[in-house]
Amino acid sequence: MKAVFEAVAHDNPYPAEQFDDGAWNQMIVKALFIGSPLHPIIGLDRRVNPELMRMLCDYAHERWAAGRDVSPELWRCVGPHADDVALADLERVLHAGSERERQAAVLALSTSRHARAAALLATAPELTGQAKRAELTWGTITEQPSA
């Protein structure tokens, strides 16, 4: 089923152009659930929305409660609409996550308009500097082998 899902979700403009927010959000959550990468999804950054952010934070909480990892790519869809709960999640990842997770948290926080985002970024000056110099991007995170 993963191959069938990816045939629809990856490198295909149809979902971004035709899915309503509900169907779009479910596709993103499904991708993470089955271990499919998000970066080949066309329109990902354009289609992030507050409801997707909430769904993904809930998903991360479920994964953490079960003692499972969370894909660093998840945070890409959280940063632009991060609320207080999402910022607390990003702070957790920033301080206790793997290197890839910490990098993802910095990139997500870099897209946040929340007042606390800048203060959190200041706690990781080296990674924040790398992001500002474009040495750290979502592409560099997804190109790294999983730990």
Side-chain angles (χ1 to χ4, degrees), residues 18-37:
Q18 300 299 321
F19 285 10
D20 65 18
D21 283 348
W24 175 262
N25 293 350
Q26 288 298 320
M27 183 182 79
I28 301 304
V29 172
K30 181 70 168 184
L32 291 164
F33 183 78
I34 65 171
S36 180

Side-chain angles (χ1 to χ4, degrees), residues 53-54 56-58 60-61 64 75 78 81-92 114 116 120:
M53 179 271 302
R54 282 187 284 282
L56 294 177
C57 287
D58 289 346
H61 292 185
W64 288 334
W75 304 111
V78 170
H81 296 283
D83 59 12
D84 289 331
V85 173
L87 282 177
D89 293 342
L90 286 165
E91 183 175 21
R92 172 186 175 167
H114 196 288
R116 278 188 37 224
L120 290 172

Side-chain angles (χ1 to χ4, degrees), residues 6-20 24 27 40-44 46-47:
E6 289 177 346
V8 173
H10 289 180
D11 302 315
N12 180 1
Y14 184 85
E17 294 170 1
Q18 300 299 321
F19 285 10
D20 65 18
W24 175 262
M27 183 182 79
I41 297 176
I42 293 174
L44 182 65
R46 180 173 49 87
R47 292 290 310 266

